[in-house]
Amino acid sequence: MTDRELFFAIARGEPTDRLYFCPDITDWYLGNHRGPGEPLKYGPGVFIPEEDSIRHEHQEHLDPEFRDLSLLDFHRRYGWGIHCHIRDWYRVDYAPGTRLDTTVEGDRMTQVWSGPAGSLTRHWQLAADGSWASLDYWMDGPEDLPVLESLVDAERYTLLDENIRRVLDGIGEMGQADIVVNRSPFGKLLHEYLGFAQTVFLLEDEPELCEHFLEVQTRKDKELMELAAASSCSLVLICDHADSTLFSPTMYRQWCIPFYKQAGEILGRANKFVSTHLDGNLHTLLPLMAQTGFHILDGCTPAPMFDYEPEELAASLAPEQTAFVGVPSALFCDGTGEEELFALADRILRAFHGRVILNVGDILPANGDIRKVIALGEYVKRHPLNGRTAGR
């Protein structure tokens, strides 16, 4: 099996000829090819073309054996699968009179979203790691909802399938990619539009206003799901970053799962696999995972980074579900020995009976030990479950 064939066999619950080790090292790679104070050239988890000059830039801290390697070179050299996120698979245009303007001044970025009903503003700060960190939300309070509704309703989506094909062709049989459709309507309220506290107040004080907005946003997001269904990518990622410190079980059950099921129906008609990103505390949400309809859970990172064990995660999933599950990335930064890393990997592999995509959870940081990732990959190759996995 190629790595691409292996991934989809695991996703379908079919027997495989080996285990799948698929670490995301893009943060490490980007962090070690970036000058101080420079913004990141790419986002985490994305495809970095081999011809990009980044492979030759800012390598002074890299060991000589790792210099001038492309991201794909690492995966080739060590026999790892690769999984990438495609975010530029569609274009957003706006109805006449509506626009989104972005201004960058030094380490500050300002976005102004404006239309006939008014405008909203959001601010960003360049963080030490080169990423843009949000300083606020689009809305100050529920009084801004009518403006937001009009701006959202003015969005127009165009499929850029050539961007998808470029990534898939670049990866080839070494792995696969998903297209990211961002958050659910409720996830947007929590993460982008209002924040946790204001969303809770909105639900309690103005439930009808909240429900009306979610209907508007759901209608637009279903348009995006239809676009994803028409794309050439087999994997669609709904990126809510659900975490039990932000999404209570009641919120998740009432506001998120119904949308996931609607999205799943649209994408299921096009035979797409649907996944979601879960890289936080999940203990109280685990009993709901089997109800979501997701085929794949992405980014799962058990204790000691987050509040659940790999065995709990495996037990919570429906028979047709699988997951990316990582040996916690913090342990690649704090001097943890290889044997402890191997022991955690063994627990993950055995909990899922091999029906799992093993990685470094969720992503190797810039200060992570790449040599321990290499050692973990070699351990997986000689693991007793290799060659005799038959699905969870």
Side-chain angles (χ1 to χ4, degrees), residues 272-348:
K272 306 294 187 186
F273 287 93
V274 188
S275 67
T276 192
H277 195 74
L278 300 162
D279 59 348
N281 293 305
L282 298 178
H283 184 75
T284 59
L285 297 180
L286 288 180
L288 300 174
M289 287 300 113
Q291 302 174 32
T292 60
F294 290 121
H295 301 105
I296 302 165
L297 309 185
D298 178 77
C300 302
T301 305
M305 272 182 68
F306 296 109
D307 66 350
Y308 62 94
E309 302 297 335
E311 295 84 0
E312 293 177 286
L313 175 63
S316 74
L317 301 190
E320 65 275 10
Q321 291 179 307
T322 191
F324 286 84
V325 186
V327 176
S329 59
L331 304 182
F332 293 81
C333 306
D334 66 357
T336 296
E338 290 182 1
E339 292 304 317
E340 187 172 341
L341 300 177
F342 298 166
L344 272 169
D346 180 68
R347 286 181 58 195
I348 294 168

Side-chain angles (χ1 to χ4, degrees), residues 137 139-142 186-206 210 245-248 251:
Y137 301 100
M139 295 191 294
D140 294 325
F186 188 75
K188 289 183 175 73
L189 274 179
L190 286 178
H191 283 280
E192 301 169 21
Y193 295 156
L194 269 178
F196 179 80
Q198 290 275 21
T199 298
V200 171
F201 294 148
L202 180 65
L203 288 170
E204 291 297 318
D205 299 338
E206 302 279 0
C210 182
T245 59
L246 190 60
F247 293 73
S248 72
M251 288 177 175

Side-chain angles (χ1 to χ4, degrees), residues 122-360:
R122 196 175 184 191
H123 303 90
W124 306 77
Q125 173 80 43
L126 186 64
D129 68 353
S131 65
W132 288 102
S134 173
L135 298 178
D136 51 17
Y137 301 100
W138 281 112
M139 295 191 294
D140 294 325
E143 66 275 7
D144 291 327
L145 270 173
V147 176
L148 180 63
E149 284 184 12
S150 69
L151 297 173
V152 167
D153 196 51
E155 290 185 332
R156 306 291 183 264
Y157 309 125
T158 301
L159 177 64
L160 302 177
D161 209 56
E162 64 275 15
N163 290 354
I164 297 174
R165 293 308 324 166
R166 184 166 56 250
V167 173
L168 295 179
D169 291 345
I171 293 172
E173 291 299 313
M174 292 178 61
Q176 65 291 320
D178 57 45
I179 54 175
V180 181
V181 295
N182 213 325
R183 313 186 195 282
S184 68
F186 188 75
K188 289 183 175 73
L189 274 179
L190 286 178
H191 283 280
E192 301 169 21
Y193 295 156
L194 269 178
F196 179 80
Q198 290 275 21
T199 298
V200 171
F201 294 148
L202 180 65
L203 288 170
E204 291 297 318
D205 299 338
E206 302 279 0
E208 292 182 1
L209 197 64
C210 182
E211 288 188 32
H212 183 267
F213 168 73
L214 289 174
E215 288 174 3
V216 172
Q217 185 68 69
T218 297
R219 185 174 67 251
K220 297 303 296 186
D221 287 352
K222 287 170 73 173
E223 289 181 21
L224 200 55
M225 295 300 167
E226 295 284 0
L227 200 69
S231 78
S232 60
C233 194
S234 299
L235 283 164
V236 179
L237 175 69
I238 300 175
C239 196
D240 256 339
H241 284 268
D243 179 305
S244 59
T245 59
L246 190 60
F247 293 73
S248 72
T250 300
M251 288 177 175
Y252 198 68
R253 182 187 299 108
Q254 182 174 355
W255 299 108
C256 296
I257 291 179
F259 175 77
Y260 298 156
K261 290 183 175 179
Q262 292 178 61
E265 289 176 3
I266 294 170
L267 296 166
R269 292 195 291 269
N271 297 314
K272 306 294 187 186
F273 287 93
V274 188
S275 67
T276 192
H277 195 74
L278 300 162
D279 59 348
N281 293 305
L282 298 178
H283 184 75
T284 59
L285 297 180
L286 288 180
L288 300 174
M289 287 300 113
Q291 302 174 32
T292 60
F294 290 121
H295 301 105
I296 302 165
L297 309 185
D298 178 77
C300 302
T301 305
M305 272 182 68
F306 296 109
D307 66 350
Y308 62 94
E309 302 297 335
E311 295 84 0
E312 293 177 286
L313 175 63
S316 74
L317 301 190
E320 65 275 10
Q321 291 179 307
T322 191
F324 286 84
V325 186
V327 176
S329 59
L331 304 182
F332 293 81
C333 306
D334 66 357
T336 296
E338 290 182 1
E339 292 304 317
E340 187 172 341
L341 300 177
F342 298 166
L344 272 169
D346 180 68
R347 286 181 58 195
I348 294 168
L349 293 169
R350 293 187 184 281
F352 287 83
H353 302 286
R355 189 183 172 185
V356 66
I357 298 98
L358 183 72
N359 61 5
V360 174

